[in-house]
Amino acid sequence: MAPDWLPKAVAVLVALALLAPVFGWAAGQVGYAEPLENAAEATGATDDAEPVDSAPFPDYGVPGLGSAPGTLVSALVGTGLTLLLAFGIGRVLGNDGDADTDAVR
């Protein structure tokens, strides 16, 4: 059985994922750039860098989709994969947290 907090947590994560295109748009409006890219440019490391074309969602988008739909798809897939990984690790560790909360009550 799923913990009581799980549906609320999933709802919040889905809401944030649905807002991802808004965050992407806002980042463009303020001229945001990735800090690691800024550091690489400032130190000249970009001159020797070689591009990696194996990223599943390069620049948080999906090739062939527009900016907002690509950001939305990458956010939903990334959130889903992260949830599955976290849930799997929780299952392997074998504690759903209910035993700890019973002792506190």
Side-chain angles (χ1 to χ4, degrees):
M1 183 170 184
D4 295 338
W5 54 265
L6 186 62
K8 291 177 186 176
V10 170
V12 167
L13 291 173
V14 168
L16 288 173
L18 291 174
L19 288 172
V22 175
F23 296 139
W25 173 82
Q29 295 300 306
V30 297
Y32 175 81
E34 292 286 337
L36 188 56
E37 290 177 12
N38 293 339
E41 288 175 7
T43 61
T46 55
D47 298 337
D48 298 321
E50 294 183 25
V52 177
D53 294 326
S54 63
F57 298 111
D59 292 327
Y60 308 106
V62 178
L65 291 179
S67 178
T71 301
L72 177 62
V73 169
S74 67
L76 290 172
V77 170
T79 300
L81 290 174
T82 302
L83 280 173
L84 286 174
L85 180 65
F87 192 70
I89 290 171
R91 287 288 188 177
V92 168
L93 295 177
N95 185 358
D96 64 357
D98 288 341
D100 292 337
T101 58
D102 289 341
V104 174
R105 291 182 194 164

